[in-house]
Amino acid sequence: SLGCGLRTCYRYLNQTSRSFAAVIQALDGELRHAVCIFYLVLRALDTVEDDMSIPLDVKVPMLQEFHSHLYQPDWKYTESKEKDRQVLEDFPTISMEFRNLSKVYQDVISDICHKMGVGMAEFLEKKVDSQREWDKYCHYVAGLVGIGLSRLFSASELEDSIVGQDTDLANSMGLFLQKTNIIRDYLEDQLEGREFWPREVWSKYAEKLSDLAKPENIDVAVQCLNELITNALHHVPDVLTYLSRLKNQSVFNFCAIPQVMAIATLAACYNNQQVFKGVVKIRKGQAVTLMMDATNIQAVKAIMYQYVEEIYQKIPSTDPSSNKTQQVIASIRAMSLPSSPMASRHHYSSIYLSCAMLLAALSWQYLSTLSKATEEYVQGGDN
């Protein structure tokens, strides 16, 4: 049974994470606690970054030094106005449970927290200009999460050491999710005065990023959107390679579910004016199906194939990025095609078998938690 502090941490996890709480709690053994604490530490860091009421001269050193508070039992921050401020106000509970983890886990979490704090501080004082800077920003806020999680998977010995060592693939896992969120959240970020689309791309289409939301600019806005989606699709081959290395079922589900949600989201956003007018959502039923199907690498390849096919069908011949989009889709197709007709038939029967087994094995409660998480994921989504 869980101690009082750990129970509190899981309560915070469920309060602060719509989309990740269910998959984290499905992880095996001690890895579950390590990932829960990792999530909360990063959520606390993120809350500092987002809090506009903290002046820059206070915020910059605070982000850079944040990792050191993991070893200060009494440190907390009570001035925040953010919705998730609870994780800062009760940071002593989180840091205590952090210090209860095995040292292998502590070292990973502390290292990632340090690198991320330094990176966040760097971008507080500048906008994302080049596509290289876009990759760098996404590395700090999401690629590092992928790298940290991968190191935790390997540290738990549920996965081979290569998973934690291959930082490029792990980084791509984070970049694919982060870019998808940034693309989808254009309007929401505009309304809150935040800009994450790279200037190098949008400046080809408009004077100011905010101009893309004007009705008279809808055609160029959609072209800009398509170019960014094409950029994001370049991470899919790495995602498939990464997922193909995973051995543990709970880790596979944890990693694959957000990735199939992301490709479904990009397919819904591609060439869609709605991105500039409101919220683009994937249908709830679609999301539940995705979560239940994404349980082995062949199934995930089939899902990825299906969605890039959907994008391919929507490419306008007049789109400036159409050639690039076709090229990246060709390379994803090559990776996600079943090897031969015989093999594919065999794979599908085994997919249905494993789904049947999975459904028998998954308790009703896990599914209901999952669909509740899905519902919230689809409504809001985590950044």
Side-chain angles (χ1 to χ4, degrees):
S1 69
L2 296 183
C4 173
L6 210 45
R7 252 207 314 278
T8 303
C9 288
Y10 279 100
R11 195 174 78 242
Y12 293 153
L13 174 69
N14 284 288
Q15 284 165 1
T16 56
S17 164
R18 271 71 56 200
S19 45
F20 288 118
V23 275
I24 289 176
Q25 285 165 104
L27 287 168
D28 291 345
E30 52 177 24
L31 177 61
R32 180 190 309 137
H33 302 327
V35 172
C36 173
I37 301 304
F38 184 41
Y39 180 87
L40 292 176
V41 168
L42 299 186
R43 174 58 66 179
L45 186 63
D46 203 38
T47 304
V48 173
E49 185 204 25
D50 280 347
D51 194 328
M52 292 306 171
S53 71
I54 309 173
L56 265 188
D57 57 333
V58 177
K59 196 191 277 195
V60 167
M62 198 170 162
L63 290 170
Q64 292 168 332
E65 295 306 311
F66 197 85
H67 65 109
S68 64
H69 304 321
L70 291 167
Y71 295 99
Q72 297 161 349
D74 299 326
W75 187 88
K76 58 176 181 288
Y77 183 76
T78 51
E79 315 288 295
S80 179
K81 306 283 184 285
E82 291 291 295
K83 63 173 181 356
D84 293 333
R85 61 180 176 267
Q86 184 98 60
V87 292
L88 287 168
E89 290 172 357
D90 190 19
F91 199 75
T93 301
I94 296 169
S95 68
M96 176 182 73
E97 291 305 329
F98 164 83
R99 293 186 301 276
N100 284 338
L101 295 171
S102 316
K103 187 167 185 306
V104 273
Y105 298 128
Q106 287 184 35
D107 291 346
V108 172
I109 295 171
S110 171
D111 178 49
I112 297 293
C113 182
H114 186 195
K115 291 184 166 119
M116 192 179 289
V118 169
M120 283 174 164
E122 180 188 323
F123 275 92
L124 278 181
E125 314 189 60
K126 65 176 186 191
K127 284 259 199 295
V128 181
D129 272 330
S130 64
Q131 295 185 59
R132 250 191 73 200
E133 292 223 296
W134 199 36
D135 281 3
K136 193 178 180 186
Y137 171 76
C138 292
H139 164 73
Y140 285 139
V141 299
L144 283 170
V145 183
I147 292 167
L149 286 167
S150 302
R151 287 168 58 189
L152 294 177
F153 301 155
S154 293
S156 74
E157 297 185 352
L158 292 177
E159 296 297 344
D160 294 342
S161 54
I162 181 71
V163 173
Q165 286 159 0
D166 196 334
T167 52
D168 286 346
L169 291 188
N171 189 56
S172 291
M173 293 284 284
L175 262 58
F176 187 58
L177 299 184
Q178 189 65 21
K179 287 179 177 181
T180 298
N181 287 341
I182 287 174
I183 291 167
R184 179 199 61 202
D185 294 339
Y186 167 83
L187 198 63
E188 185 189 318
D189 287 334
Q190 276 299 306
L191 298 172
E192 293 184 24
R194 295 194 303 246
E195 302 201 335
F196 299 113
W197 283 24
R199 173 188 296 271
E200 186 189 333
V201 175
W202 63 253
S203 62
K204 294 190 247 179
Y205 302 94
E207 286 288 312
K208 298 198 299 290
L209 181 55
S210 56
D211 290 345
L212 293 179
K214 296 179 177 165
E216 66 268 23
N217 295 330
I218 194 67
D219 293 340
V220 285
V222 168
Q223 292 178 348
C224 181
L225 167 73
N226 292 348
E227 181 172 345
L228 289 181
I229 290 175
T230 303
N231 171 303
L233 287 173
H234 281 89
H235 300 295
V236 172
D238 277 359
V239 166
L240 291 174
T241 304
Y242 180 97
L243 292 173
S244 68
R245 289 179 177 170
L246 300 176
K247 306 259 202 306
N248 177 276
Q249 186 68 57
S250 74
V251 171
F252 186 88
N253 297 352
F254 175 86
C255 295
I257 288 168
Q259 302 292 334
V260 296
M261 293 290 190
I263 191 78
T265 301
L266 288 183
C269 290
Y270 184 79
N271 209 47
N272 187 350
Q273 301 184 349
Q274 190 58 31
V275 172
F276 302 96
K277 300 174 179 176
V279 186
V280 174
K281 292 178 177 171
I282 45 181
R283 297 188 308 280
K284 174 162 177 226
Q286 190 182 6
V288 174
T289 312
L290 285 176
M291 292 175 101
M292 286 172 51
D293 282 350
T295 54
N296 63 67
I297 188 63
Q298 278 314 125
V300 169
K301 283 180 173 181
I303 292 168
M304 291 280 189
Y305 189 91
Q306 177 200 326
Y307 283 111
V308 296
E309 206 51 49
E310 196 177 298
I311 292 172
Y312 192 85
Q313 298 305 326
K314 289 198 285 191
I315 300 174
S317 51
T318 54
D319 190 89
S321 309
S322 62
N323 279 349
K324 273 188 171 164
T325 312
Q326 287 169 344
Q327 280 173 344
V328 68
I329 288 178
S331 65
I332 296 169
R333 275 183 180 152
M335 275 195 80
S336 57
L337 256 183
S339 33
S340 72
M342 280 310 288
S344 72
R345 232 192 339 249
H346 165 77
H347 279 312
Y348 279 98
S349 59
S350 72
I351 286 173
Y352 290 122
L353 255 172
S354 65
C355 279
M357 306 257 305
L358 183 80
L359 287 177
L362 283 176
S363 63
W364 174 81
Q365 190 195 357
Y366 178 57
L367 274 180
S368 67
T369 330
L370 219 50
S371 66
K372 193 149 74 242
T374 308
E375 196 171 329
E376 296 181 34
Y377 190 105
V378 176
Q379 277 164 12
D382 262 353
N383 282 330

